[in-house]
Amino acid sequence: QVQLVESGGGSEQAGGSLRLACTVSGRAVSDYVMGWFRQAPGKEREFVACINRSGFRKYAGDIVQGRFIISRDVEKNMVYLQMNSLERQDTAVYYCAADSGSIATFVTGSEHDYWGQGTQVTVSS
């Protein structure tokens, strides 16, 4: 059984940084397109960033381009989201997801193979 467990959320001031981690068990991170979504109160879930199976292709949403960086550690079977220059609008629950499709389906699709339980990120001014 595949499980995704997020960690690293918390509270930070605007301009600061946080690093989220997603620990994957049951399958290798290289078996899936891995990535992050987020959902703020009263808003739709939105794509944040993803990384493909080889680890050579990464894609980030426009709203986080240049600020958030996705990476992975194949040996530890973990995926990370380094969040820099945090803004108040980054406040949301962040979810790790795994998809057996492509980057395109990961970004645009609503269904994914596996989800984590989410971790709260709160940014204050």
Side-chain angles (χ1 to χ4, degrees):
Q1 184 177 357
V2 179
Q3 288 189 317
L4 310 180
V5 179
E6 301 95 337
S7 59
S11 298
E12 182 59 73
Q13 290 190 328
S17 298
L18 283 173
R19 189 176 80 154
L20 304 184
C22 175
T23 302
V24 181
S25 60
R27 291 285 295 272
V29 293
S30 54
D31 287 341
Y32 299 98
V33 174
M34 298 294 305
W36 298 87
F37 288 84
R38 69 186 186 186
Q39 188 165 20
K43 294 188 176 181
E44 296 286 320
R45 185 179 65 198
E46 64 177 345
F47 165 75
V48 176
C50 66
I51 184 168
N52 74 340
R53 288 177 183 78
S54 71
F56 289 117
R57 285 190 64 202
K58 303 176 184 179
Y59 184 69
D62 290 343
I63 199 167
V64 302
Q65 277 277 4
R67 299 189 298 123
F68 291 11
I69 302 169
I70 189 170
S71 63
R72 70 178 191 181
D73 187 324
V74 174
E75 289 188 359
K76 293 182 179 179
N77 220 36
M78 296 180 70
V79 180
Y80 303 99
L81 184 69
Q82 178 66 42
M83 305 187 295
N84 301 319
S85 301
L86 284 164
E87 302 171 355
R88 287 193 63 185
Q89 53 263 39
D90 294 322
T91 295
V93 177
Y94 284 72
Y95 297 92
C96 179
D99 195 293
S100 54
S102 63
I103 282 186
T105 59
F106 189 96
V107 174
T108 61
S110 59
E111 299 294 329
H112 301 287
D113 294 75
Y114 302 100
W115 289 92
Q117 81 288 351
T119 186
Q120 176 70 46
V121 171
T122 302
V123 183
S124 59
S125 58

